[in-house]
Amino acid sequence: MYKRVRLKDTVEVPPRHLADVTPERVKRLLQDKLEGRMDEEVGSVVSVTEVHDIGDGAVLPNRPGVYYEADFDAITFDPQMQEVVDGTVVEVVEFGAFIGIGPVDGLLHVSQISDEYLAYDGENQQLASTETNRTLGVGDEIRVRIVTKSVDERNPRDSKIGLTAKQPGLGKHGWLEEERQKREAQMEGN
């Protein structure tokens, strides 16, 4: 999920900073350019951590800055298909819940939460079962599996991650604890 990777990219140093083309300056410029951006190959760039090499600068016609190719380390978040992750419910809507997993949110569709029917309770920002009184609301911790991933590099906010919690070992942490306690009680009774 989180990875430390070595990357190479070009950064523009504006004219006012040309006397200060240091690794620290280039790092700040790379952070401004890349952090929060989504890339199909490496995922979401969380942080540029260290600049290793700065190439020779290149001047482009009709551009005021000088362009430098830099070799650097970055921390990225790259959710993998079928990966099991823990997250937090950040929003509940009629069709499901948005789960914060790292720096991105994934959609847990209501049909992928439970075999029970879950009704939307907009007043309390939760999905509620009428059968077992279980609820899923904002702030709840949940374990899910990534089942779909569509990365939009130009508009990272439009990237989509689909989640499921309909398998043994997945679901709201409180529900998983209840199930564990039931199993332990059954084993003690045998």
Side-chain angles (χ1 to χ4, degrees), residues 50-109:
E50 184 179 355
V51 174
H52 294 286
D53 186 44
I54 303 168
D56 294 333
V59 177
L60 299 178
N62 301 318
R63 301 297 302 218
V66 177
Y67 292 82
Y68 293 88
E69 189 170 270
D71 216 16
F72 59 95
D73 287 339
I75 303 296
T76 63
F77 176 83
D78 188 18
Q80 300 297 308
M81 292 292 292
Q82 310 308 325
E83 184 175 10
V84 173
V85 295
D86 287 314
T88 305
V89 177
V90 294
E91 183 182 3
V92 177
V93 291
E94 285 186 50
F95 54 85
F98 288 95
I99 312 298
I101 52 171
V104 298
D105 294 344
L107 173 63
L108 179 59
H109 191 269

Side-chain angles (χ1 to χ4, degrees), residues 143-162:
R143 180 166 293 145
V144 294
R145 187 168 55 84
I146 297 169
V147 292
T148 60
K149 180 174 119 173
S150 172
V151 174
D152 187 332
E153 292 179 22
R154 281 189 288 242
N155 298 309
R157 287 261 170 238
D158 292 339
S159 297
K160 293 172 177 56
I161 296 174

